[in-house]
Amino acid sequence: MKPVVKIGGSLLRSAGDFLRAAEYLLKLPEPPVAVVSAMKGVTDMLLELERTRSYLMYEEVLHKHLAVARLLGVEDRVAPLLKELEAALRLPRAGWTPDYFASFGERLSAAILHAVLRRLGAEAELFVAPILTNSNFGNADPLRLEHKDKIAAPGVAAVVTGFIGRDADGRFTTVGRGGSDYTATYIGREIGARKVSLVTDAPGVMTADPREVEDAAVLPLLSLHEAVEAAKAGAKNFHPRTFLPVLEAGNMAVEVRSYHSRGTLIANIYPPPPYKIVTKCGQGSCVVGLSAYELTKLGGTPLGRYSVRLDIPPRQAHEFLVKPYIRYINT
Ligand code: ASP
Ligand code: MG
């Protein structure tokens, strides 16, 4: 079965980055379904553009993509989209317009990556927003994957826009910020994939945010149920619904990794490994990966079967609850 590989926006900042992503995809043992995020920072820019309709902001988006596309010799692929975006500046604001503006981020980056793959001689097909969703703009629910057979067809890479879908009227929708991981797991479930790789600039899921806790470590393994709770607790900025399609799929594994790291494998493992994750929750922290015994012993506010909210800062929670287990990770 075709693997699903999501390329995060943090890995798409320059023309060289697109080449690097294409190379990574071409080296896989099988042509994948590549789910593509918008270039780093672009979704924020587009949403601001929707609010301000600032022509300067438009030019910033234009130059960012044109510069990359020119270097890669694929300008003809971005020009029509940039024209369409310019025309969108004249649209009156409405409930659907933020998602419409945001859709350009993934449509542009997927078009570039698709063109680069083709230029490198790969057989690749582009699918723009093949997920049918409801019309809950800004946080839409996927209802169905269109062109499923074509996307799943072996031997050809399928390049798919992450994050966005379309409603029954054909209007672009988005599944919520950071949602390209979620669209990747959703597509994985729909095509019966065995593995979904979420490729980012981080080495994997970590015991804490390394910007906050300097001795945070990468988890080699995470149970699916813990991952569901970790996403809800805000770990790694996962979209809260990222792992729900994995639960529904039954035997699909997820890997969170960088190009080079071994990453974190998330699968239906029972009992869960003894690792824990600490996230910042308001003034305190959320700790995920606790046993039932630890949960009763620690107090705090229970959040789920494996997690609790505590009134101590993440650094402290990490020091006392996670560090004792880190030695298992490095052995
Ligand atoms: N581009 C979207 C965002 O920035 C989705 C994603 O990258 O996951 O929210
Ligand atoms: Mg993301």
Side-chain angles (χ1 to χ4, degrees):
M1 205 0 111
K2 246 172 163 171
V4 176
V5 180
K6 176 247 173 177
I7 304 289
S10 56
L11 298 173
L12 301 173
R13 298 165 185 254
S14 65
D17 280 356
F18 278 90
L19 282 174
R20 189 129 176 264
E23 254 168 55
Y24 178 81
L25 296 169
L26 290 174
K27 279 206 193 112
L28 296 171
E30 247 180 296
V33 177
V35 178
V36 191
S37 285
M39 286 181 72
K40 172 85 181 166
V42 165
T43 307
D44 288 332
M45 291 165 78
L46 289 165
L47 290 173
E48 194 182 326
L49 182 61
E50 196 276 334
R51 281 189 300 270
T52 61
R53 305 303 168 93
S54 140
Y55 203 81
L56 266 175
M57 180 60 88
Y58 166 72
E59 285 184 318
E60 211 179 308
V61 174
L62 173 102
H63 290 310
K64 198 176 181 86
H65 292 89
L66 266 189
V68 165
R70 272 192 193 131
L71 277 167
L72 296 167
V74 300
E75 208 178 320
D76 57 315
R77 295 294 302 277
V78 303
L81 286 166
L82 292 167
K83 266 230 158 88
E84 185 188 331
L85 178 60
E86 188 179 12
L89 293 176
R90 291 188 293 273
L91 286 171
R93 293 188 70 191
W96 58 275
T97 47
D99 286 29
Y100 177 52
F101 274 68
S103 77
F104 286 93
E106 273 70 14
R107 288 158 74 198
L108 283 159
S109 60
I112 296 172
L113 187 62
H114 174 246
V116 171
L117 283 168
R118 286 268 185 104
R119 287 206 67 175
L120 293 173
E123 242 194 285
E125 260 211 80
L126 176 63
F127 298 87
V128 178
I131 300 175
L132 178 78
T133 72
N134 62 13
S135 304
N136 191 8
F137 296 105
N139 194 24
D141 297 312
L143 301 174
R144 191 172 69 226
L145 179 66
E146 317 262 24
H147 313 295
K148 204 183 285 189
D149 294 342
K150 271 196 174 167
I151 292 172
V156 188
V159 179
V160 186
T161 51
F163 179 54
I164 63 174
R166 280 189 195 249
D167 72 1
D169 299 324
R171 291 174 301 191
F172 284 103
T173 56
T174 64
V175 298
R177 293 307 305 274
S180 54
D181 291 335
Y182 174 42
T183 49
T185 54
Y186 178 79
I187 291 167
R189 189 199 77 186
E190 288 294 295
I191 67 166
R194 302 298 305 279
K195 193 163 97 180
V196 177
S197 303
L198 306 175
V199 190
T200 81
D201 64 351
V205 181
M206 301 185 71
T207 55
D209 184 340
R211 286 167 303 189
E212 231 166 272
V213 179
E214 60 272 13
D215 38 17
V218 179
L219 296 170
L221 211 56
L222 188 62
S223 82
L224 181 52
H225 287 88
E226 290 172 315
V228 171
E229 293 188 12
K232 277 193 205 142
K236 214 191 161 292
N237 276 330
F238 280 127
H239 184 290
R241 284 181 280 165
T242 302
F243 297 104
L244 298 186
V246 193
L247 271 184
E248 291 154 6
N251 74 353
M252 182 169 84
V254 176
E255 153 189 275
V256 179
R257 57 173 299 166
S258 68
Y259 287 135
H260 304 296
S261 68
R262 227 172 56 200
T264 303
L265 183 72
I266 298 163
N268 236 320
I269 316 157
Y270 197 85
Y275 315 129
K276 304 179 205 312
I277 298 173
V278 171
T279 64
K280 195 173 156 115
C281 280
Q283 295 300 309
S285 23
C286 289
V287 185
V288 184
L290 297 160
S291 66
Y293 171 72
E294 288 169 311
L295 276 175
T296 51
K297 216 176 55 173
L298 270 172
T301 318
L303 293 169
R305 265 175 68 195
Y306 303 100
S307 46
V308 78
R309 201 187 160 288
L310 299 173
D311 280 333
I312 55 173
R315 287 184 67 142
Q316 222 173 315
H318 193 266
E319 186 65 32
F320 292 109
L321 296 168
V322 181
K323 262 195 101 176
Y325 293 97
I326 286 187
R327 65 192 161 92
Y328 294 115
I329 297 176
N330 300 319
T331 51

